[in-house]
Amino acid sequence: MIQRIGCTTLFLFAVGVATENLHPITPPTTSFATQGTVELDEDVYSGDMEISAEYAIHPRLSLYADGAFRFLSYSYEYSTEGYIHNYCNLHVNGFNEIYVGAKGLILPYLGLNLGWRFPPGEGSQKNRFHRLNLEPFTVLPFSRHLTLGTSFRYNTFLEDKNYKPGNEVGFKASFVWRPGWNDSLNTGWHFSETFLYQARIEESENRNLAKPYRKMKDKYRGMKMKFDAARYFSIFKVPVGFGLNYEIHEGTLFGFETGHRVGIFTKIWN
C-alpha cells in the first residue's frame, strides 16, 4: 500500500507542488508524510501544508519529492513614535517550489543524492530559478538504533532572462536515534536532528548589462537546523508516526533575521 501511495504522490508532485524540506541523511526507504507548519521569517508569518514522499524502487535506490502549499502569509507592524500606526500586509499564497530527485547507495555506506528544483508558483517570491543539486553522502549505522550521516552539496542554477545566480556549496550532518525501537513492528520513539550550512561561492550575474557591471555582489552564507520527535504505532500492521519538529535558520542565505518553523506531522513508513 505504501509503495502505491509513494508512486502516486511522486507523479502528482511532478506537475505542481512543493518546498524543500530538511531531511536527515538515511538510506533509501519508502515513506509518506504530511504536516502543518507555521513560520516566522523576516517579520512575515506563514502557514503551510507540506507533503513529503519517498519510494524505494530498490534497497539501494529511491525517488523522492517534497511539496507545500502556503495558505496564509502576512506581516504586521505597530508604531507609536508620535502617532499610532498599524500596518498589515497580506503576502502571496499558493504553491511553493517543486523539489524532485533520486538518491542511491553506490557502496554500503557511500551514496549520491541528485535533485532538481523547479521555480515556485504563487506561494513564494524567492528561489525563482531552476536549480540542480549534487550531493554525495555517507551514512553510518553507529549502533543498532543510531544512524549518523554527512554530505557535501553543490548547487548550480539555470540562467533565466539573462540572470545567472552564483553557484553554492554546503555541508550537511544528521543523526537518527530510535531508543527502544521494535524492529519487527517498526514502532517506538524516533528522534532526529539535521544541520545544514550553505554559502554562495561566486557572485550572480545580470547579463543584460555590459560585462564590467554584471556582478551583483550577492555572496552569502547561512545555516539551518531542524529537530524531529515522533512516536510510531502499528495501525493495521502499518507503522504510522505522529510528531513535532522545530527548525531555526539564520544568516543572509535564509533571511536577514533569524527564522523559526514549527510543524505537526504524521508519517507512514515502510
Side-chain angles (χ1 to χ4, degrees):
M1 181 182 73
I2 300 177
Q3 285 85 351
R4 290 197 294 270
I5 292 175
C7 246
T8 303
T9 305
L10 288 170
F11 282 116
L12 291 175
F13 281 153
V15 296
V17 295
T19 190
E20 190 174 31
N21 204 338
L22 196 59
H23 297 291
I25 301 166
T26 59
T29 186
T30 297
S31 64
F32 177 84
T34 181
Q35 77 169 12
T37 303
V38 292
E39 178 185 56
L40 171 61
D41 188 10
E42 294 184 302
D43 294 325
V44 179
Y45 298 84
S46 303
D48 295 356
M49 177 61 70
E50 301 183 2
I51 296 176
S52 298
E54 183 178 354
Y55 175 59
I57 58 179
H58 184 272
R60 289 197 173 189
L61 179 64
S62 66
L63 306 176
Y64 65 85
D66 284 326
F69 187 90
R70 178 149 290 181
F71 288 97
L72 177 67
S73 182
Y74 75 96
S75 60
Y76 177 79
E77 297 180 10
Y78 175 77
S79 175
T80 58
E81 297 178 0
Y83 57 91
I84 296 177
H85 173 67
N86 291 281
Y87 171 74
C88 182
N89 181 26
L90 185 65
H91 295 260
V92 293
N93 301 297
F95 290 117
N96 285 329
E97 302 86 18
I98 301 170
Y99 288 87
V100 296
K103 70 177 182 182
L105 288 173
I106 303 170
L107 299 173
Y109 306 121
L110 177 65
L112 180 65
N113 184 359
L114 187 64
W116 188 266
R117 184 187 75 195
F118 295 88
E122 295 300 322
S124 174
Q125 291 300 304
K126 303 178 181 179
N127 306 326
R128 308 299 298 184
F129 299 88
H130 291 271
R131 188 198 76 182
L132 173 65
N133 167 242
L134 184 67
E135 191 168 342
F137 67 89
T138 60
V139 58
L140 175 65
F142 186 78
S143 67
R144 182 181 176 187
H145 293 146
L146 177 62
T147 302
L148 307 178
T150 60
S151 70
F152 292 92
R153 61 164 44 191
Y154 173 75
N155 298 331
T156 188
F157 303 82
L158 293 186
E159 180 180 321
D160 183 38
K161 298 179 181 178
N162 290 327
Y163 288 90
K164 176 62 171 69
N167 295 332
E168 299 171 345
V169 295
F171 170 76
K172 186 177 177 182
S174 71
F175 74 81
V176 176
W177 182 40
R178 298 177 294 173
W181 189 258
N182 187 321
D183 293 312
S184 61
L185 297 176
N186 281 332
T187 59
W189 286 102
H190 188 286
F191 302 99
S192 69
E193 183 152 4
T194 309
F195 172 82
L196 170 66
Y197 177 85
Q198 193 162 280
R200 174 158 285 167
I201 58 175
E202 59 183 5
E203 296 178 24
S204 302
E205 291 186 357
N206 180 355
R207 295 177 177 172
N208 295 296
L209 303 176
K211 193 169 184 179
Y213 309 104
R214 290 180 177 179
K215 298 294 184 181
M216 300 181 68
K217 299 181 180 179
D218 63 345
K219 288 185 179 180
Y220 51 61
R221 61 184 182 274
M223 55 78 67
K224 270 186 175 183
M225 187 164 55
K226 182 179 180 182
F227 177 77
D228 290 76
R231 173 73 178 180
Y232 282 81
F233 304 90
S234 179
I235 301 178
F236 300 110
K237 297 183 179 181
V238 176
V240 180
F242 304 91
L244 299 170
N245 57 53
Y246 169 71
E247 179 184 306
I248 183 173
H249 54 263
E250 62 181 9
T252 53
L253 174 61
F254 302 107
F256 292 100
E257 300 177 4
T258 300
H260 306 269
R261 289 169 65 87
V262 178
I264 302 175
F265 67 91
T266 181
K267 185 174 183 178
I268 302 173
W269 187 40
N270 188 16

